[in-house]
Amino acid sequence: MKNNNSSVKIDGIDKKILRYLMEDARRPILEIARNIGISGAAIHQRLRKLESSGLLAGSKFVINPKVLGYSTMAYIGIYLDKAMTNPRAVKQLEEIPEVLECHYTTGNWSILIKVLCRDNEHLMQVLNKKIQQIEGVSRTETFISLDQQIDRQIRI
């Protein structure tokens, strides 16, 4: 897979295909082909081109965490003692299943993570017994999400 920072050129037909698949990745290719007015083979060929360009990073099923009892989403800013502890801290954060995302940031924190927990008590356990026990973590700042208002990908 090509993954450099050059932008990929996509035309109007590519955009239509992508919009259909971003809305529902399980939509049949032939249905998309009929709606756009080109052959299924042409859609497959264009998708292969988009995959090999690195634009498409795969498809996946999205699990509703609330059905599994996870309802507390939080963002935690992590202050580290030294920048050189970043890679070690990230490696240990990877071992915590509740951590969904991890970002190096500018500003006050060294790292910003997104965590998903069953409830506030579970969040407190994750913070106290897992995250704050990582060597190099001097303190954390936690923001609990009350309700997600926007969830989307980049507009095509």
Side-chain angles (χ1 to χ4, degrees):
M1 178 172 100
K2 186 170 99 179
N3 192 2
N4 56 24
N5 287 332
S6 65
S7 35
V8 175
K9 301 279 188 254
I10 56 176
D11 63 18
I13 292 173
D14 290 335
K15 288 180 182 181
K16 286 180 184 178
I17 295 167
L18 290 170
R19 284 186 196 120
Y20 277 115
L21 291 173
M22 287 170 67
E23 184 181 305
D24 179 5
R26 296 178 72 183
R27 178 171 278 152
I29 296 297
L30 290 177
E31 178 185 324
I32 297 170
R34 274 193 302 277
N35 290 338
I36 294 176
I38 63 173
S39 72
I43 300 257
H44 281 290
Q45 183 179 17
R46 285 173 175 268
L47 287 174
R48 278 194 301 276
K49 176 193 77 167
L50 294 171
E51 282 181 62
S52 66
S53 76
L55 178 66
L56 296 180
S59 60
K60 58 186 172 186
F61 287 100
V62 178
I63 293 172
N64 180 351
K66 290 182 177 160
V67 173
L68 295 173
Y70 287 79
S71 60
T72 298
M73 179 76 68
Y75 297 86
I76 303 170
I78 300 176
Y79 296 83
L80 295 175
D81 293 335
K82 299 181 186 86
M84 59 193 291
T85 59
N86 283 7
R88 284 197 307 266
V90 169
K91 196 83 176 138
Q92 291 179 63
L93 287 166
E94 273 184 317
E95 302 299 318
I96 302 171
E98 293 87 354
V99 175
L100 303 181
E101 295 179 17
C102 178
H103 305 266
Y104 288 133
T105 63
T106 59
N108 293 331
W109 313 308
S110 304
I111 296 172
L112 178 70
I113 61 172
K114 178 180 175 181
V115 298
L116 181 61
C117 297
R118 289 185 299 279
D119 50 34
N120 287 355
E121 185 177 330
H122 181 207
L123 173 60
M124 190 171 75
Q125 294 292 317
V126 169
L127 271 168
N128 294 337
K129 299 232 182 329
K130 296 180 180 180
I131 294 168
Q132 292 173 346
Q133 299 303 312
I134 294 173
E135 185 183 343
V137 171
S138 59
R139 65 188 178 103
T140 59
E141 193 171 348
T142 303
F143 301 88
I144 295 175
S145 171
L146 299 176
D147 189 34
Q148 183 175 357
Q149 297 297 300
I150 299 172
D151 181 16
R152 63 180 173 207
Q153 295 188 67
I154 191 166
R155 189 168 291 154
I156 300 286

